[in-house]
Amino acid sequence: MKCKVCREHAVVDIRRHNAGFCQDHFLEHARNQVARAIKEFKMFRADDRLLLAVSGGKDSLALWDILIDLGYDVTGFYLDLGIGGYSNRSKDLSISFAESHSAKLLVRSIETEHGFNVPELSALTGRVPCSGCGLSKRYEFNRAALEEGFEVLVTGHNLDDEVATLFGNVLHWNTEMLGRQMPVLDERILGEGDDARVALVRKAKPLVKLSERETAAYALLRGIDYVIEECPMVEGNTQHRYKHAITLLEESSPGTKSQFYAGFLRKAADRFRDAADNQADDSEVVACASCGAPTVRRGAHESRCSFCRTKDLAMKRKAEARRGPARRKSGA
Amino acid sequence: MRVKLRNPDRVVQVKGPKTVVDMLDELDIVPEAVLVIKDKTLLTRDERVDDSDEVEVRPVLSGGAGDGE
């Protein structure tokens, strides 16, 4: 196979483009796709301060490399989830990347910040690990961006991530989520006048035009050392199963993924915007009574966000587990 | 040829020569779900791999919470 640009030997084949690329032109293609997504969806401005959620995986490290290359002011944010050796290795790789690129990296630990790690959160609350992990990451990414004064939170969601999410939302006709599934989400302001404050920072996903295979190829060809192993808690994850099903479709009909996603954005996303807006109108959005993050008011009761309620449950059960043996001992 | 597979790490032998796509088919691996690596660079699916070659088949699909991993 020849490179479609220079006719030299190709190292990457992208069937949905019916094209092969040599190393240099593939790297250029990847950077162009990111630059195009940023421009097309008006994700951020050249002088915005960006906080990039970094996991040590191929997507976030490839995106970090590309954003640095494109000249953006980007700081990495690694959140240690406390998933044993997997978290240790992914943190080391994130730190190594930052050092080798002279890039800024902020590191926080969920255990230090909140008193539990992701495996504990799952065991204490009965939540599926990926659900508790996603909730914690969304919360901490936003908190870090606000506390550190960043204008935009950037994540490494790629085309496959977005297609798998879209597939799941369509399968379950989750119209509210379909109304919000965009490559960029505006910041959310709470309060009015002098009390107005940004409660949810602007979010952007510049990898939406690149498949997971392309981000992996980019990382490899750039010599980026990323964590290859799967998270040990991913077993049975729904998103993962959707990706495998969609990959089979893509293999037999190249272009299926991008047509599904681009078609949704072009022809359908607007039709679900009302569902998302109505949800927000019907149930008043207020500041969480514990942390101030936006949440939906629940009846006459004090409103607390999903993360604070989950955290309280985890800490309550952790305390009960600690008291348990002592109580038995004193009763003996 | 020696083929390194991931998650979990293991090595299998496949008789060469054959194209990358035929090698993956023999291993029951969907080409779209992997990269095939030889000498720190990538092979397209039409390339030939010989009996004496060592290649790595690296999965690209990641799962999880889907929050920007």
Side-chain angles (χ1 to χ4, degrees):
Chain A
M1 181 177 271
K2 303 282 186 198
C3 172
K4 75 173 248 188
V5 183
C6 66
R7 309 308 298 161
E8 290 294 319
H9 177 72
V11 295
V12 183
D13 48 336
I14 306 177
R15 293 170 80 219
R16 75 172 189 278
H17 294 316
N18 194 25
F21 292 96
C22 68
Q23 174 160 329
D24 287 349
H25 286 119
F26 172 74
L27 296 176
E28 185 179 284
H29 155 82
R31 290 186 197 106
N32 287 344
Q33 292 298 313
V34 169
R36 195 175 295 173
I38 293 167
K39 187 176 176 189
E40 180 179 334
F41 300 109
K42 300 180 177 64
M43 291 183 171
F44 36 79
R45 297 179 303 240
D47 58 350
D48 278 339
R49 289 185 69 226
L50 313 179
L51 184 67
L52 170 67
V54 172
S55 68
K58 63 191 187 312
D59 302 308
S60 54
L61 294 185
L63 180 56
W64 202 356
D65 189 76
I66 293 172
L67 290 174
I68 290 170
D69 196 67
L70 293 174
Y72 287 101
D73 178 2
V74 55
T75 298
F77 174 44
Y78 179 83
L79 179 64
D80 188 338
L81 301 162
I83 309 176
Y86 174 77
S87 284
N88 294 339
R89 286 186 286 280
S90 54
K91 180 164 70 179
D92 288 347
L93 290 168
S94 301
I95 292 170
S96 295
F97 180 95
E99 288 173 351
S100 64
H101 287 69
S102 302
K104 294 169 281 186
L105 175 66
L106 176 68
V107 178
R108 288 186 182 180
S109 151
I110 188 112
E111 189 144 18
T112 307
E113 299 293 324
H114 298 289
F116 54 79
N117 59 37
V118 162
E120 274 183 322
L121 182 66
S122 174
L124 290 166
T125 64
R127 268 186 106 114
V128 174
C130 294
S131 162
C133 182
L135 176 70
S136 304
K137 287 196 288 189
R138 282 191 295 276
Y139 185 85
E140 276 302 297
F141 291 166
N142 185 63
R143 189 167 81 104
L146 292 177
E147 285 178 0
E148 302 293 331
F150 289 92
E151 276 103 7
V152 187
L153 172 65
V154 180
T155 60
H157 290 90
N158 57 46
L159 176 64
D160 293 65
D161 293 321
E162 292 304 288
V163 168
T165 300
L166 177 60
F167 187 68
N169 285 337
V170 170
L171 276 184
H172 299 101
W173 287 118
N174 192 340
T175 52
E176 185 196 330
M177 293 304 292
L178 284 167
R180 287 199 201 124
Q181 197 188 337
M182 300 301 290
V184 63
L185 284 174
D186 278 336
E187 63 184 18
R188 180 138 203 171
I189 309 279
L190 278 186
E192 291 177 357
D194 291 346
D195 293 333
R197 64 182 173 88
V198 177
L200 285 179
V201 73
R202 184 177 179 83
K203 290 178 191 156
K205 305 170 182 175
L207 289 182
V208 292
K209 288 181 181 285
L210 288 174
S211 72
E212 205 144 33
R213 192 164 175 274
E214 288 167 275
T215 61
Y218 181 91
L220 185 120
L221 293 174
R222 285 284 289 157
I224 296 170
D225 200 4
Y226 65 87
V227 66
I228 298 167
E229 70 194 88
E230 275 289 2
C231 171
M233 310 199 77
V234 79
E235 185 70 32
N237 174 258
T238 307
Q239 181 98 343
H240 210 206
R241 283 189 279 119
Y242 290 163
K243 280 188 181 178
H244 280 282
I246 294 161
T247 299
L248 288 175
L249 294 175
E250 181 74 15
E251 180 64 30
S252 57
S253 297
T256 300
K257 287 186 295 194
S258 57
Q259 283 166 22
F260 184 44
Y261 183 60
F264 165 73
L265 292 180
R266 200 171 54 248
K267 299 178 184 174
D270 282 347
R271 298 168 188 240
F272 296 102
R273 203 63 50 77
D274 284 349
D277 291 346
N278 287 341
Q279 197 276 341
D281 290 345
D282 292 344
S283 31
E284 192 186 350
V285 176
V286 295
C288 168
S290 295
C291 72
T295 189
V296 175
R297 188 190 293 280
R298 285 172 176 75
H301 299 291
E302 181 181 67
S303 294
R304 288 184 309 138
C305 69
S306 178
F307 180 80
C308 285
R309 283 183 279 122
T310 304
K311 175 182 173 178
D312 286 355
L313 177 63
M315 299 316 284
K316 184 178 155 202
R317 292 196 174 151
K318 198 168 180 175
E320 284 170 358
R322 276 205 205 101
R323 281 199 304 271
R327 198 179 292 152
R328 279 197 296 277
K329 195 176 174 184
S330 62
Chain B
M1 73 197 76
R2 226 173 108 83
V3 183
K4 181 177 182 180
L5 303 174
R6 297 284 196 164
N7 299 333
D9 285 3
R10 61 210 187 274
V11 173
V12 297
Q13 296 290 335
V14 175
K15 186 82 185 143
K18 51 177 47 105
T19 60
V20 164
V21 74
D22 286 342
M23 175 196 76
L24 294 173
D25 186 52
E26 188 170 322
L27 294 166
D28 202 20
I29 292 172
V30 180
E32 196 60 34
V34 295
L35 294 177
V36 178
I37 305 163
K38 184 181 149 191
D39 298 332
K40 294 186 177 174
T41 192
L42 297 169
L43 301 179
T44 53
R45 61 175 71 202
D46 62 332
E47 290 226 49
R48 197 183 79 155
V49 270
D50 290 323
D51 212 32
S52 57
D53 284 337
E54 288 190 18
V55 298
E56 176 190 340
V57 176
R58 187 179 294 187
V60 298
L61 300 186
S62 57
D67 280 298
E69 289 292 319

